[in-house]
C-alpha cells in the first residue's frame, strides 16, 4: 500500500506539473494570439498610411499636370493676344498709310483747283 501512496504522491506532483505546463502553454498561446492581433493592427495601420501617401502622390501628380496645362493655356493665350495685337497694329498702320495718301491726294487736288482758278483770273 505504501507503494501505491508513493505512486499517488508522485502522480499528484506529475498532475500538478502537467496542469502547470498546460496553463503555461495556454497563457503563451493567448499572449501570441494578442501579439498576432497587435501585429495585424500595426500592418493595417502601415497599409493605411501607405495608401494615404500613394493618394497624396497621385494628387500631387495631378496638380502638377494641371499646373502644366494652365501654363500651356496661359502661353497660348499670350501668343493669341500677341498675334491679335500685331494684326491690329498692322491694320492700323495700313489705315494710317491710306489716310496719309488720301490727305496727299486732297492737297494735290486742292492745289490743282487753285492753279486752275488762278489761270482763270488771268
Amino acid at each position: 500500500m505504501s507503494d501505491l501512496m508513493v505512486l499517488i504522491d508522485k502522480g499528484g506532483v506529475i498532475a500538478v506539473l502537467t496542469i502547470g505546463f498546460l496553463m503555461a502553454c495556454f497563457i503563451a498561446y493567448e499572449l501570441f494570439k494578442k501579439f498576432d492581433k497587435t501585429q495585424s493592427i500595426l500592418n493595417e495601420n502601415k497599409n493605411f498610411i501607405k495608401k494615404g501617401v500613394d493618394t497624396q502622390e497621385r494628387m500631387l501628380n495631378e496638380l502638377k499636370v494641371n499646373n502644366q496645362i494652365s501654363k500651356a493655356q496661359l502661353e497660348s493665350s499670350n501668343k493669341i493676344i500677341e498675334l491679335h495685337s500685331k494684326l491690329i497694329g498692322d491694320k492700323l498702320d495700313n489705315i494710317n498709310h491710306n489716310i496719309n495718301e488720301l490727305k496727299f491726294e486732297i492737297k494735290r487736288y486742292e492745289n490743282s483747283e487753285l492753279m486752275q482758278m488762278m489761270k482763270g483770273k488771268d
Side-chain angles (χ1 to χ4, degrees), residues 22-81:
L22 290 175
M23 286 177 59
C25 287
F26 179 75
I27 291 170
Y29 171 76
E30 288 296 318
L31 288 175
F32 281 119
K33 203 161 84 172
K34 287 182 181 181
F35 178 75
D36 284 344
K37 284 182 183 178
T38 305
Q39 285 296 85
S40 174
I41 291 170
L42 290 175
N43 285 336
E44 287 176 13
N45 284 344
K46 189 189 301 182
N47 290 337
F48 181 75
I49 291 170
K50 186 177 179 182
K51 285 180 184 178
V53 168
D54 290 343
T55 302
Q56 287 177 347
E57 286 178 1
R58 281 196 309 268
M59 289 172 62
L60 181 63
N61 287 336
E62 287 179 16
L63 287 173
K64 286 179 182 178
V65 168
N66 285 338
N67 190 21
Q68 290 173 348
I69 289 171
S70 295
K71 283 182 182 179
Q73 287 175 340
L74 181 62
E75 288 176 8
S76 175
S77 296
N78 286 341
K79 287 181 181 180
I80 289 171
I81 290 170

